[in-house]
Amino acid sequence: MTSNAISVARILRLAILSTGALLFLAPYIFMVSTAGKAQSEIFSSSLSLIPEQWSYIENFSKALSRVSMSTLLFNGVVVCALIFVIQIVVAIPCAYAMAKLKFRAARTMMVLVMLGLLVPIHATALPIYVAFDRLSVLNSYTALVAPFSISVFAIFLFLQFFRAMPDDLIHAARLDGMSEAGIVARVIVPNAWPAITAFAIFSVVAHWNDLFWPLIVVTNQDYATPPLGLLYFRAAEAGDDYGALMAATLIITLPLVTAFLLAQKRFVEGITMTGLKG
Amino acid sequence: MAKAGSDREAAVGAAGVETTPLCPAEHDKSAHAAQPARHLRSHAIDAANLPDRREARIAWLLALPAITLLFLFILLPTAAVIVLGFTDFELGYSNWRFVGFENYAELLGDRTFRRSLWNTAVYTVIVTPVSIVLALAIAMLIEAETKGRAFFRTVYFLPVASLLVAMATVWQFLFHPTIGPINTFLALFGIAGPNWLGASGTVLYGLSIIGIWQSVGFNMVLFLAGLTAIPRELYAAAEVDGAKSWFDRFRLVTWPMLGPTTLFVATISIINSVKVFETVKTLTEGGPNKASEVLLFTIYQEGFVYLRVGYASAMTVVFLAILVVLMFLQYRVLDRKVHYA
């Protein structure tokens, strides 16, 4: 009786989860399906998922010829990598100083960090845009990267993480005669990989997907990031050639989705991994 | 060295002395092998602690880049946006003056801005509760199930990692009034689907569906973390106390224990909903007939398309004030919870 009830509950549970999963995957399924359909078949509005005539090559070559996909993906990688590296290099020493050194300004810094967490790029965009316009740095990697060089979220995250690190570790390093900068580079960073990985995923997802800031500072296609490039592509296509549009969408979505599928295990590990060993 | 090796702490100290001639603690090199372990330990403590003034100087140096950039890109621009809100500054015009509260007075009568505040509120009121309830339900189902956990977690989280602008384009196809799969599917049952994103009556619902689809996975991961942290004994105890159905267990254990997580998820969801921009810019441009005009899109239009920086700054201040109030409310609720606990 009991085991029967449990299995019924289980079947119900799996049914709900699977139906939900199918609904959540539906956009991806239709994206892949439509990217292979010819224009006429798309307009016949059938629900069939498998294209009658395989038009993948046609649609993909259209997508690749209208907008330079390689430039977009390259810009996306460069911008995300620069932002992440600068954020880490700026935030880790600061978080270390606040967490482990006797530092009068640490309290004030904490207040500033909490304030900073409140202010998104959308709030600071206007003055920064005006300043960048005056300095003539619009349409450049500098304009895309500079406002994100400081991440108060990174400082906050690393501060929590460093506070949990034992002081003995740092004392031992000082006994070995390491300078404070050396301690940050050779003791703190190697022990902070879980936090760094978690932050890397957060930062890259946020900036790979960001449309707001690139839309404001970039008008030149050469500096377009993937979201912005897709917007240009949509404008050029007048939004009607869904086959080519879905092919372009597929190309642009694939890198981050692949990265996510590969890094997901690490993400979970990063959260669960605790202690000194790293 | 063999003698010192018997005392682990002293061994660490001695090793430090030997390998690092620059360390101030071991200038009297001649003594170190013969020193008793206790003496070595006091040297070790001297070397492990920096003099306070030197420590403060190093701390400043390490924090300096962050402090500089924090001022340059967060504090200064925030102050500037508040000041600009009191001016009639327009990009391209060199003349500007302080106009006091004129911008704010104009905002009160601005029908587009009021519409955009209203639409943002409606969008938030739809997306936040639905995405929280769905995320909690999915998290609990996944938690209860032993098979396929990783698979389901990946599937529901996938939209978070997908390029929103790209997926919005896919949704536009799904929502297409004549060739879109959703309306084709509805037609199988004889239902004439609406012109989702093209009609002012349904556009906000269409955008909300995309918003929910996109945010459920993120909330779910937070709930999963919260669920794992609930001690198993509590469920056993509740069962002993007569909580037989799953709903009793949920009401008595899961829901109260998830309180802080739920509050956190709710705050993040509301803030993210207030910041809706990508889908609107990509799919509707605020249309049709301003039916999907939302706060950030209106700010973007005024500030970066019409270049009325002063006026857009006043809007930004309103936007910032909303965020501050939301955070303040979260702290208040959190505070109360802690006191009652």
Side-chain angles (χ1 to χ4, degrees):
Chain A
M1 179 68 199
T2 318
S3 73
N4 195 24
I6 285 170
S7 76
V8 167
R10 212 174 148 204
I11 288 166
L12 199 68
R13 204 155 58 208
L14 278 172
I16 296 172
L17 279 175
S18 308
T19 314
L22 201 63
L23 282 175
F24 269 67
L25 285 178
Y28 301 94
I29 297 168
F30 278 104
M31 170 171 76
V32 174
S33 151
T34 311
K37 287 182 178 176
Q39 185 80 333
S40 57
E41 198 190 335
I42 293 169
F43 276 90
S44 73
S45 70
S46 78
L47 277 172
S48 143
L49 288 174
I50 297 155
E52 282 165 17
Q53 265 180 302
W54 288 57
S55 309
Y56 279 103
I57 294 167
E58 196 193 331
N59 283 333
F60 273 89
S61 58
K62 246 193 245 170
L64 290 168
S65 65
R66 302 285 159 82
V67 168
S68 169
M69 289 288 168
S70 53
T71 311
L72 291 183
L73 296 177
F74 176 78
N75 286 343
V77 170
V78 167
V79 168
C80 284
L82 279 175
I83 288 176
F84 171 66
V85 169
I86 296 174
Q87 281 176 335
I88 288 285
V89 168
V90 169
I92 287 184
C94 178
Y96 169 73
M98 287 168 73
K100 292 292 179 199
L101 297 179
K102 288 195 208 79
F103 182 23
R104 267 251 213 70
R107 280 189 80 114
T108 323
M109 273 301 286
M110 197 61 211
V111 174
L112 292 183
V113 165
M114 297 311 273
L115 276 178
L117 280 173
L118 257 178
V119 182
I121 179 67
H122 315 94
T124 50
L126 280 159
I128 297 177
Y129 172 73
V130 172
F132 280 8
D133 182 52
R134 292 281 149 88
L135 297 167
S136 315
V137 289
L138 296 177
N139 284 311
S140 69
Y141 289 132
T142 313
L144 285 167
V145 171
F148 305 107
S149 56
I150 177 77
S151 166
V152 278
F153 177 70
I155 296 178
F156 185 74
L157 187 80
F158 290 125
L159 189 63
Q160 307 292 332
F161 197 81
F162 294 166
R163 274 189 183 147
M165 276 190 187
D167 288 335
D168 290 351
L169 198 69
I170 292 152
H171 287 166
R174 276 190 200 137
L175 281 174
D176 279 351
M178 268 192 205
S179 67
E180 294 301 303
I183 290 175
V184 172
R186 284 160 59 195
V187 178
I188 299 292
V189 170
N191 281 301
W193 277 122
I196 294 175
T197 319
F199 179 71
I201 290 167
F202 168 85
S203 171
V204 169
V205 168
H207 296 292
W208 184 269
N209 285 332
D210 184 33
L211 173 68
F212 189 79
W213 187 247
L215 185 66
I216 289 167
V217 292
V218 170
T219 46
N220 180 344
Q221 283 215 17
D222 293 344
Y223 292 101
T225 54
L228 193 57
L230 197 65
L231 220 56
Y232 290 149
F233 185 77
R234 286 171 52 97
E237 286 302 309
D240 243 12
D241 190 350
Y242 278 105
L245 204 52
M246 291 302 117
T249 311
L250 191 61
I251 297 169
I252 267 175
T253 319
L254 213 53
L256 196 68
V257 166
T258 314
F260 160 69
L261 292 176
L262 293 176
Q264 206 214 11
K265 212 171 128 232
R266 281 202 183 159
F267 189 60
V268 177
E269 274 172 8
I271 293 163
T272 47
M273 198 184 296
T274 43
L276 258 172
K277 295 264 151 83
Chain B
M1 271 330 286
K3 188 177 170 264
S6 62
D7 187 334
R8 264 190 88 220
E9 224 177 325
V12 171
V17 167
E18 274 189 348
T19 52
T20 56
L22 279 174
C23 191
E26 82 299 337
H27 275 299
D28 49 342
K29 264 201 152 179
S30 57
H32 80 269
Q35 290 280 9
R38 189 142 53 90
H39 198 117
L40 265 179
R41 196 177 298 152
S42 79
H43 273 273
I45 288 162
D46 283 348
N49 289 313
L50 293 168
D52 279 2
R53 276 203 19 231
R54 205 173 88 93
E55 187 167 333
R57 211 183 65 225
I58 293 169
W60 270 108
L61 277 175
L62 289 174
L64 197 63
I67 295 173
T68 313
L69 291 169
L70 187 69
F71 268 94
L72 206 56
F73 287 116
I74 297 177
L75 297 179
L76 206 62
T78 308
V81 98
I82 294 170
V83 173
L84 281 170
F86 293 113
T87 69
D88 65 353
F89 187 92
E90 285 186 38
L91 211 65
Y93 292 87
S94 51
N95 289 331
W96 61 274
R97 59 188 179 85
F98 280 100
V99 293
F101 284 90
E102 237 172 65
N103 287 330
Y104 293 93
E106 195 182 335
L107 278 183
L108 284 177
D110 186 336
R111 286 183 58 188
T112 306
F113 183 67
R114 270 161 45 186
R115 188 73 200 258
S116 106
L117 273 182
W118 172 249
N119 288 341
T120 311
V122 171
Y123 178 86
T124 307
V125 166
I126 297 172
V127 171
T128 307
V130 177
S131 75
I132 289 177
V133 170
L134 274 181
L136 182 57
I138 293 168
M140 285 172 62
L141 288 172
I142 291 180
E143 176 74 12
E145 186 52 57
T146 44
K147 282 239 166 71
R149 265 191 204 189
F151 170 75
F152 285 123
R153 197 182 52 203
T154 307
V155 167
Y156 289 107
F157 193 79
L158 202 55
V160 184
S162 303
L163 194 71
L164 185 53
V165 174
M167 295 319 288
T169 309
V170 178
W171 275 100
Q172 186 182 35
F173 172 68
L174 298 182
F175 277 137
H176 195 285
T178 51
I179 60 171
I182 292 178
N183 280 4
T184 311
F185 183 74
L186 288 175
L188 292 180
F189 302 95
I191 304 167
N195 183 0
W196 292 94
L197 299 173
S200 49
T202 48
V203 64
L204 271 182
Y205 302 122
L207 291 170
S208 299
I209 290 173
I210 305 176
I212 292 165
W213 173 81
Q214 214 257 335
S215 59
V216 161
F218 183 74
N219 295 345
M220 175 203 67
V221 165
L222 295 178
F223 276 128
L224 277 174
L227 283 173
T228 340
I230 299 177
R232 297 292 113 195
E233 303 88 73
L234 282 179
Y235 288 105
E239 211 145 335
V240 170
D241 285 352
K244 291 281 180 257
S245 70
W246 74 267
F247 184 74
D248 280 342
R249 287 196 294 278
F250 174 76
R251 190 171 54 87
L252 293 168
V253 181
T254 314
W255 182 249
M257 288 304 284
L258 277 181
T261 312
T262 312
L263 182 66
F264 181 66
V265 170
T267 312
I268 291 201
S269 296
I270 294 173
I271 288 177
N272 281 337
S273 302
V274 170
K275 290 200 273 196
V276 59
F277 175 78
E278 266 90 353
T279 44
V280 173
K281 170 67 191 161
T282 314
L283 301 181
T284 68
E285 296 265 356
N289 207 2
K290 299 197 192 302
S292 62
E293 187 88 32
V294 291
L295 202 46
L296 279 185
F297 184 75
T298 314
I299 293 175
Y300 167 78
Q301 287 283 82
E302 282 293 335
F304 302 101
V305 179
Y306 308 139
L307 301 177
R308 295 184 62 198
V309 174
Y311 191 51
S313 294
M315 287 181 181
T316 307
V317 171
V318 175
F319 165 70
L320 205 51
I322 292 172
L323 295 187
V324 170
V325 168
L326 287 173
M327 289 305 274
F328 178 73
L329 283 178
Q330 190 209 2
Y331 282 126
R332 279 295 293 271
V333 176
L334 202 64
D335 211 30
R336 232 154 121 207
K337 280 246 165 84
V338 170
H339 280 301
Y340 276 92

